[in-house]
Amino acid sequence: MLEKHGFERIESGNLVATYARSAFEDTRRKAIKYGAHGTTVKAYKPGR
């Protein structure tokens, strides 16, 4: 999808357990239940 919008050199980081250290037990439990993970994405758009 990023390429479709003109981005190049698209890089993504490793998956991390984003909510694993949440202060709220309910949030941590739901993150485990649904397998919630996050990552970073870096992309460059020519001419900007």
Side-chain angles (χ1 to χ4, degrees):
M1 185 162 85
L2 292 171
E3 289 174 337
K4 178 181 171 183
H5 292 282
F7 287 91
E8 298 176 346
R9 296 181 3 215
I10 302 163
E11 305 168 14
S12 69
N14 296 328
L15 287 177
V16 294
T18 308
Y19 298 102
R21 294 186 179 182
S22 172
F24 303 101
E25 174 61 31
D26 188 51
T27 299
R28 293 191 306 269
R29 191 171 46 251
K30 287 179 182 176
I32 291 169
K33 180 180 179 179
Y34 295 108
H37 286 82
T39 189
T40 55
V41 176
K42 182 171 32 172
Y44 299 88
K45 195 160 190 179
R48 294 205 170 220

Coordinates of all heavy atoms in Angstrom, one line a residue:
M1 N 0.8 -1.2 0.0 CA 0.0 0.0 0.0 C 0.9 1.3 0.0 O 0.5 2.2 -0.7 CB -0.9 0.0 1.2 CG -1.9 1.1 1.2 SD -3.3 0.9 2.3 CE -2.6 1.5 3.8
L2 N 2.0 1.2 0.7 CA 2.9 2.4 0.7 C 3.5 2.7 -0.6 O 3.6 3.8 -1.1 CB 4.0 2.2 1.8 CG 3.5 2.2 3.2 CD1 4.7 1.8 4.2 CD2 3.0 3.6 3.6
E3 N 3.8 1.6 -1.3 CA 4.4 1.8 -2.7 C 3.4 2.4 -3.6 O 3.7 3.2 -4.5 CB 4.9 0.4 -3.2 CG 6.1 -0.1 -2.6 CD 6.5 -1.5 -3.0 OE1 5.6 -2.2 -3.5 OE2 7.7 -1.8 -2.9
K4 N 2.1 2.0 -3.5 CA 1.0 2.5 -4.3 C 0.9 4.0 -4.1 O 0.5 4.7 -5.0 CB -0.3 1.9 -3.8 CG -1.5 2.3 -4.5 CD -2.8 1.6 -4.0 CE -4.0 2.2 -4.5 NZ -5.2 1.6 -4.0
H5 N 1.3 4.6 -3.0 CA 1.2 6.0 -2.7 C 2.6 6.7 -2.9 O 2.7 7.8 -2.4 CB 0.7 6.2 -1.3 CG -0.7 5.8 -1.2 ND1 -1.8 6.6 -1.6 CD2 -1.3 4.7 -0.6 CE1 -2.9 6.0 -1.4 NE2 -2.7 4.8 -0.8
G6 N 3.5 6.0 -3.6 CA 4.7 6.7 -4.0 C 5.9 6.6 -3.0 O 6.9 7.2 -3.2
F7 N 5.8 5.8 -2.0 CA 6.9 5.6 -1.0 C 7.9 4.6 -1.5 O 7.6 3.6 -2.2 CB 6.3 5.2 0.4 CG 5.6 6.3 1.1 CD1 4.3 6.5 0.9 CD2 6.3 7.2 1.9 CE1 3.6 7.5 1.6 CE2 5.7 8.2 2.6 CZ 4.3 8.4 2.4
E8 N 9.2 4.8 -1.1 CA 10.2 3.9 -1.5 C 11.0 3.6 -0.2 O 10.8 4.2 0.9 CB 11.2 4.6 -2.4 CG 10.5 5.0 -3.8 CD 11.5 5.7 -4.7 OE1 12.5 6.2 -4.2 OE2 11.1 5.9 -5.9
R9 N 12.0 2.6 -0.3 CA 12.9 2.2 0.8 C 12.0 2.0 2.1 O 12.3 2.5 3.1 CB 13.9 3.3 1.0 CG 14.9 3.4 -0.1 CD 16.0 4.4 0.0 NE 16.1 5.1 1.3 CZ 16.5 6.3 1.5 NH1 16.8 7.1 0.4 NH2 16.6 6.9 2.7
I10 N 11.1 1.1 2.0 CA 10.2 0.8 3.1 C 10.9 -0.3 4.0 O 11.3 -1.3 3.5 CB 8.9 0.2 2.5 CG1 8.2 1.3 1.6 CG2 7.9 -0.2 3.7 CD1 7.1 0.7 0.7
E11 N 10.9 0.1 5.2 CA 11.6 -0.8 6.2 C 10.6 -1.0 7.4 O 9.9 -0.1 7.8 CB 12.9 -0.2 6.8 CG 13.9 0.2 5.7 CD 15.0 1.1 6.2 OE1 15.1 1.2 7.5 OE2 15.7 1.7 5.4
S12 N 10.6 -2.2 8.0 CA 9.8 -2.4 9.2 C 10.7 -3.0 10.2 O 11.6 -3.8 10.0 CB 8.6 -3.3 8.9 OG 9.0 -4.6 8.6
G13 N 10.4 -2.7 11.5 CA 11.1 -3.2 12.6 C 10.5 -4.6 13.1 O 9.7 -5.2 12.5
N14 N 11.1 -5.1 14.2 CA 10.6 -6.3 14.7 C 9.3 -6.1 15.4 O 8.9 -5.0 15.9 CB 11.6 -6.8 15.8 CG 12.9 -7.2 15.1 OD1 13.0 -7.6 14.0 ND2 14.0 -7.0 15.9
L15 N 8.5 -7.2 15.5 CA 7.2 -7.2 16.3 C 7.6 -7.1 17.7 O 8.5 -7.8 18.2 CB 6.4 -8.4 16.0 CG 5.7 -8.4 14.6 CD1 5.0 -9.8 14.4 CD2 4.7 -7.3 14.5
V16 N 6.8 -6.3 18.5 CA 7.0 -6.2 19.9 C 5.7 -6.3 20.6 O 4.6 -6.0 20.1 CB 7.7 -4.9 20.3 CG1 9.1 -4.8 19.8 CG2 6.9 -3.7 19.8
A17 N 5.7 -6.8 21.8 CA 4.5 -7.0 22.6 C 4.2 -5.6 23.2 O 4.6 -5.3 24.3 CB 4.6 -8.0 23.7
T18 N 3.5 -4.8 22.5 CA 3.3 -3.4 22.8 C 2.7 -3.2 24.2 O 3.1 -2.3 24.9 CB 2.4 -2.7 21.8 OG1 2.9 -3.0 20.5 CG2 2.2 -1.2 22.0
Y19 N 1.7 -4.0 24.6 CA 1.0 -3.8 25.8 C 1.4 -4.7 26.9 O 0.8 -4.7 28.0 CB -0.5 -3.9 25.6 CG -1.0 -3.0 24.6 CD1 -1.3 -3.3 23.3 CD2 -1.3 -1.6 24.9 CE1 -1.7 -2.4 22.3 CE2 -1.8 -0.7 24.0 CZ -2.0 -1.1 22.7 OH -2.4 -0.2 21.8
A20 N 2.5 -5.4 26.8 CA 3.0 -6.3 27.8 C 3.3 -5.7 29.1 O 3.2 -6.3 30.2 CB 4.3 -7.1 27.3
R21 N 3.7 -4.4 29.1 CA 4.1 -3.7 30.4 C 3.0 -2.7 30.8 O 3.3 -1.8 31.6 CB 5.4 -3.0 30.2 CG 6.5 -4.0 30.0 CD 7.9 -3.3 30.0 NE 8.9 -4.3 29.8 CZ 10.2 -3.9 29.8 NH1 10.6 -2.7 30.0 NH2 11.1 -4.9 29.7
S22 N 1.8 -2.9 30.3 CA 0.7 -2.0 30.7 C 0.5 -2.0 32.2 O 0.6 -3.1 32.8 CB -0.6 -2.3 30.0 OG -1.7 -1.6 30.4
A23 N 0.1 -0.9 32.8 CA -0.2 -0.8 34.2 C -1.5 -1.5 34.5 O -1.8 -1.8 35.7 CB -0.2 0.6 34.6
F24 N -2.3 -1.8 33.5 CA -3.6 -2.3 33.7 C -3.7 -3.8 33.3 O -3.4 -4.2 32.2 CB -4.7 -1.6 32.8 CG -4.7 -0.1 33.1 CD1 -4.0 0.8 32.3 CD2 -5.3 0.4 34.2 CE1 -4.0 2.1 32.5 CE2 -5.3 1.7 34.5 CZ -4.7 2.6 33.7
E25 N -4.0 -4.7 34.3 CA -4.1 -6.1 34.1 C -5.0 -6.5 32.9 O -4.7 -7.4 32.1 CB -4.5 -6.8 35.4 CG -4.8 -8.3 35.3 CD -3.5 -9.1 34.8 OE1 -2.4 -8.7 35.2 OE2 -3.7 -10.1 34.2
D26 N -6.1 -5.8 32.9 CA -7.1 -6.1 31.8 C -6.5 -5.9 30.4 O -6.7 -6.7 29.5 CB -8.4 -5.2 32.0 CG -9.5 -5.6 31.1 OD1 -9.8 -6.8 31.0 OD2 -10.0 -4.8 30.4
T27 N -5.8 -4.8 30.3 CA -5.1 -4.5 29.0 C -4.1 -5.6 28.6 O -4.1 -6.1 27.5 CB -4.4 -3.2 29.0 OG1 -5.4 -2.2 29.3 CG2 -3.7 -2.9 27.7
R28 N -3.3 -6.0 29.6 CA -2.3 -7.1 29.4 C -3.0 -8.4 29.0 O -2.6 -9.1 28.1 CB -1.4 -7.3 30.6 CG -0.5 -6.1 30.9 CD 0.6 -6.4 31.9 NE 0.0 -6.9 33.2 CZ -0.3 -6.2 34.2 NH1 -0.2 -4.9 34.2 NH2 -0.8 -6.8 35.3
R29 N -4.1 -8.7 29.7 CA -4.8 -10.0 29.4 C -5.4 -10.0 28.0 O -5.3 -10.9 27.3 CB -5.9 -10.1 30.5 CG -6.5 -11.5 30.5 CD -7.5 -11.7 31.7 NE -8.4 -10.7 31.9 CZ -8.3 -9.8 33.0 NH1 -7.4 -10.0 33.9 NH2 -9.2 -8.9 33.2
K30 N -6.0 -8.8 27.6 CA -6.6 -8.8 26.3 C -5.5 -8.8 25.2 O -5.7 -9.4 24.1 CB -7.4 -7.5 26.1 CG -8.7 -7.6 26.9 CD -9.5 -6.3 26.8 CE -10.8 -6.4 27.6 NZ -11.6 -5.2 27.5
A31 N -4.4 -8.2 25.4 CA -3.3 -8.2 24.5 C -2.8 -9.6 24.2 O -2.5 -10.0 23.1 CB -2.1 -7.3 25.0
I32 N -2.7 -10.4 25.3 CA -2.3 -11.8 25.1 C -3.4 -12.6 24.4 O -3.1 -13.3 23.5 CB -2.1 -12.4 26.5 CG1 -0.8 -11.8 27.1 CG2 -1.9 -14.0 26.4 CD1 -0.6 -12.2 28.6
K33 N -4.7 -12.4 24.8 CA -5.8 -13.1 24.1 C -5.8 -12.9 22.6 O -6.1 -13.8 21.9 CB -7.1 -12.6 24.8 CG -8.3 -13.3 24.2 CD -9.6 -12.8 24.9 CE -10.8 -13.5 24.3 NZ -12.1 -13.0 24.9
Y34 N -5.6 -11.6 22.2 CA -5.8 -11.3 20.8 C -4.4 -11.2 20.1 O -4.4 -11.0 18.9 CB -6.5 -9.9 20.6 CG -7.9 -10.0 21.1 CD1 -8.3 -9.4 22.3 CD2 -8.9 -10.7 20.4 CE1 -9.6 -9.4 22.7 CE2 -10.2 -10.8 20.8 CZ -10.5 -10.2 22.0 OH -11.8 -10.2 22.4
G35 N -3.3 -11.5 20.8 CA -2.0 -11.5 20.1 C -1.6 -10.1 19.6 O -1.0 -10.0 18.6
A36 N -1.9 -9.1 20.4 CA -1.6 -7.7 20.0 C -0.1 -7.5 20.0 O 0.6 -7.7 21.0 CB -2.3 -6.7 20.9
H37 N 0.4 -7.0 18.9 CA 1.8 -6.6 18.7 C 1.9 -5.4 17.9 O 1.0 -5.0 17.2 CB 2.6 -7.7 18.0 CG 2.9 -8.9 18.9 ND1 1.9 -9.9 19.0 CD2 3.9 -9.3 19.6 CE1 2.4 -10.8 19.8 NE2 3.6 -10.5 20.2
G38 N 3.0 -4.7 18.0 CA 3.2 -3.5 17.3 C 4.6 -3.5 16.6 O 5.4 -4.3 16.9
T39 N 4.8 -2.6 15.7 CA 6.1 -2.5 15.0 C 6.2 -1.1 14.5 O 5.3 -0.3 14.5 CB 6.1 -3.5 13.8 OG1 7.5 -3.5 13.2 CG2 5.2 -3.1 12.6
T40 N 7.4 -0.7 14.0 CA 7.7 0.6 13.5 C 7.8 0.4 12.0 O 8.3 -0.6 11.5 CB 8.9 1.2 14.0 OG1 10.0 0.3 13.9 CG2 8.7 1.6 15.5
V41 N 7.4 1.4 11.2 CA 7.6 1.4 9.8 C 8.2 2.7 9.3 O 7.8 3.7 9.8 CB 6.2 1.2 9.0 CG1 6.4 1.3 7.5 CG2 5.6 -0.1 9.4
K42 N 9.3 2.6 8.5 CA 9.9 3.8 8.0 C 9.9 3.7 6.5 O 10.2 2.7 5.9 CB 11.4 3.8 8.5 CG 12.1 5.0 8.0 CD 13.5 5.2 8.7 CE 14.3 4.1 9.1 NZ 15.7 4.4 9.5
A43 N 9.5 4.8 5.8 CA 9.4 4.9 4.4 C 9.8 6.3 3.9 O 9.6 7.2 4.7 CB 8.1 4.5 3.9
Y44 N 10.3 6.4 2.7 CA 10.7 7.7 2.2 C 9.9 8.0 0.9 O 9.6 7.1 0.1 CB 12.2 7.6 1.8 CG 13.1 7.3 3.0 CD1 13.4 6.0 3.4 CD2 13.6 8.4 3.8 CE1 14.2 5.8 4.5 CE2 14.4 8.1 4.9 CZ 14.6 6.8 5.2 OH 15.4 6.6 6.3
K45 N 9.5 9.2 0.8 CA 8.8 9.6 -0.4 C 9.7 10.6 -1.2 O 10.1 11.6 -0.7 CB 7.5 10.4 0.0 CG 6.5 10.5 -1.2 CD 5.1 10.7 -0.7 CE 4.2 10.6 -1.9 NZ 2.8 10.8 -1.4
P46 N 10.0 10.2 -2.4 CA 10.9 11.0 -3.3 C 10.4 12.5 -3.5 O 9.2 12.7 -3.6 CB 11.0 10.3 -4.6 CG 10.4 9.0 -4.4 CD 9.5 9.1 -3.2
G47 N 11.3 13.4 -3.5 CA 10.9 14.8 -3.8 C 10.4 15.5 -2.6 O 9.9 16.6 -2.7
R48 N 10.5 15.0 -1.4 CA 10.1 15.7 -0.2 C 11.2 16.0 0.7 O 12.1 15.3 0.9 CB 9.0 14.9 0.5 CG 7.8 14.8 -0.4 CD 6.6 14.5 0.5 NE 5.4 14.7 -0.4 CZ 4.3 15.3 -0.1 NH1 4.2 15.8 1.1 NH2 3.3 15.4 -0.9

